[in-house]
Amino acid sequence: MNTIVINKILVHMIDFEHRKIHLSDEFATLNDTTQDYYQKKVEKGLNSNQIKQVVVGSMHEMMLRANQMIESDEKFKEQAKEVTEKFFKLGSVIEGMPNCMVLHVDCYKDGDRVVAALKLNYKFVPVSVLDPDNVRISRAQTLPGIGAPVDEAIIVNVDRHSLYLIEKKYAIDGKLDTYLNTQWIKGEEKLTDRQKVSAMTKVVKKAEANYSVKDSQAIALMKQQLNQKVMHQEVIKPIEIVQQVLASNDQAAEESKENLKNLGVDSEDTINANTLTSAIEKCKITTDTDMSVTVSVEDYVNKNNIEIRENTDGTSDIILSHINEINVR
């Protein structure tokens, strides 16, 4: 399930270049011109694979603000203004912080009430400028395109009392770093969905190397499990999937569970299906002779149109069948 229903959106603009905030008095109009843009931006924010959960107390500033924002339109506007001012105060001391829009959203995601502040950084694009004597190239700021990701966000699931962040790195004190959690939210960070998948891959590869489980198919089986969970709209629990993949070896399964926990993945952690990329649908086979073949996970696991034969001299042959066309890239 991935249903997002927008109740209201309030848009404020921060002009870091001129040290100004431009506040909107009225909620954005959702019509044929704007509906697609706002809907896509909210989806991009709430389904981003960069989202990380941040554990905070029930009396945290943003939890209290979110609860007030759903009480009335006036309280929504009041809190949105204060949150925008906080973004402005923090961003003003960061060199190179681009101008931005802040979308304050009240919506439902899969039935849960969600309040979010989505920060969309303006992009610079080249433009031609007509002077009296010549044409020169300059730069102009423009809103990010409809398909561009959300740069930063504070997302509160009011019903589940949980808070999530999307953070972007900026040049801070001479090095690239984030600031939202360290300077504002100050919560305990949990892994992003992308980091959870990376941890699963690392742990399964280690188990495969140490215990020779699943005849070198463990990663493919892990991807197959992820695909099936997505297809059947089931809850995706990293530890549960890894243990299923390694079920043939009790020691490998138990050790991998502990390894995942050491990497920050807990038993109740889940992965949002919408954050998974098409990479889980394919396997890339790479040989020590610098050859590589990409096949679907299902074909590799079920050995459809691909066969790997072991030779007596210790080498292997990969046989592909039923190929209609070959392209060299």
Side-chain angles (χ1 to χ4, degrees):
M1 183 189 296
N2 181 31
T3 303
I4 295 175
V5 179
I6 297 174
N7 298 323
K8 61 175 75 85
I9 289 183
L10 188 64
V11 183
H12 295 325
M13 188 268 185
I14 302 178
D15 184 348
F16 287 109
E17 185 179 2
H18 299 98
R19 304 287 178 175
K20 293 181 180 179
I21 301 176
H22 301 278
L23 299 173
S24 300
D25 294 326
E26 301 298 331
F27 292 104
T29 302
L30 300 177
N31 53 33
D32 292 342
T33 303
T34 62
Q35 177 72 44
D36 286 348
Y37 185 85
Y38 288 133
Q39 186 74 31
K40 181 63 71 174
K41 283 305 172 189
V42 173
E43 290 174 358
K44 284 285 186 180
L46 301 191
N47 294 327
S48 171
N49 60 11
Q50 299 296 326
I51 283 182
K52 59 186 172 186
Q53 184 175 359
V54 179
V55 180
V56 297
S58 59
M59 300 301 290
H60 186 276
E61 167 195 345
M62 288 307 302
M63 304 298 285
L64 297 177
R65 288 186 187 279
N67 282 309
Q68 288 189 47
M69 291 173 84
I70 64 174
E71 289 181 10
S72 69
D73 287 353
E74 289 308 311
K75 287 188 177 181
F76 188 97
K77 292 178 181 180
E78 176 186 330
Q79 293 302 322
K81 175 179 178 291
E82 292 183 11
V83 169
T84 303
E85 289 171 344
K86 194 69 175 281
F87 269 117
F88 176 71
K89 182 179 179 180
L90 289 172
S92 294
V93 297
I94 297 176
E95 184 178 355
M97 177 65 75
N99 296 341
C100 66
M101 281 200 321
V102 183
L103 271 58
H104 296 277
V105 185
D106 173 11
C107 66
Y108 286 96
K109 183 179 189 299
D110 297 337
D112 288 346
R113 191 73 174 269
V114 173
V115 173
L118 310 178
K119 184 169 175 281
L120 310 181
N121 292 340
Y122 280 68
K123 309 300 179 184
F124 284 99
V125 296
V127 295
S128 60
V129 179
L130 297 177
D131 287 337
D133 299 321
N134 69 331
V135 178
R136 60 185 175 84
I137 302 299
S138 183
R139 295 197 309 165
Q141 295 186 81
T142 181
L143 280 174
I146 191 170
V150 172
D151 297 286
E152 298 168 78
I154 302 174
I155 302 165
V156 178
N157 187 314
V158 180
D159 290 339
R160 297 179 185 269
H161 311 291
S162 52
L163 187 148
Y164 305 84
L165 295 179
I166 300 174
E167 293 197 276
K168 181 180 175 66
K169 289 186 176 181
Y170 297 93
I172 303 174
D173 295 331
K175 65 177 183 178
L176 288 176
D177 205 352
T178 57
Y179 70 94
L180 273 181
N181 193 40
T182 56
Q183 299 297 321
W184 183 355
I185 305 302
K186 298 181 179 179
E188 179 186 348
E189 294 186 10
K190 304 195 79 172
L191 298 181
T192 66
D193 285 351
R194 178 183 289 184
Q195 290 171 327
K196 292 172 190 175
V197 174
S198 178
M200 292 169 67
T201 302
K202 182 177 181 179
V203 167
V204 169
K205 283 184 176 179
K206 182 177 180 181
E208 191 173 53
N210 291 345
Y211 296 97
S212 300
V213 294
K214 295 295 182 183
D215 193 23
S216 300
Q217 291 195 87
I219 292 296
L221 288 169
M222 184 191 85
K223 291 186 175 184
Q224 184 186 50
Q225 288 282 342
L226 288 169
N227 274 317
Q228 290 176 354
K229 294 288 186 183
V230 172
M231 187 182 305
H232 295 103
Q233 298 182 349
E234 297 175 351
V235 177
I236 303 172
K237 292 188 175 183
I239 286 183
E240 179 183 287
I241 288 177
V242 169
Q243 291 202 295
Q244 288 174 352
V245 169
L246 304 176
S248 62
N249 188 305
D250 292 341
Q251 187 174 351
E254 188 59 32
E255 183 178 302
S256 295
K257 179 180 179 180
E258 293 305 312
N259 287 340
L260 278 173
K261 288 184 176 180
N262 291 336
L263 291 173
V265 181
D266 295 326
S267 298
E268 296 306 312
D269 278 352
T270 60
I271 293 174
N272 182 350
N274 297 297
T275 66
L276 296 173
T277 67
S278 59
I280 65 170
E281 300 172 4
K282 299 181 183 299
C283 285
K284 186 175 183 179
I285 305 166
T286 304
T287 71
D288 58 357
T289 57
D290 293 329
M291 296 178 63
S292 64
V293 179
T294 301
V295 298
S296 74
V297 167
E298 294 300 325
D299 280 352
Y300 182 78
V301 171
N302 298 320
K303 293 298 181 284
N304 296 328
N305 305 320
I306 181 170
E307 180 182 357
I308 300 178
R309 293 180 182 175
E310 303 295 334
N311 300 320
T312 56
D313 61 359
T315 62
S316 301
D317 293 333
I318 299 176
I319 303 171
L320 306 177
S321 59
H322 298 94
I323 298 171
N324 294 321
E325 183 179 353
I326 295 177
N327 292 313
V328 179
R329 298 179 180 177

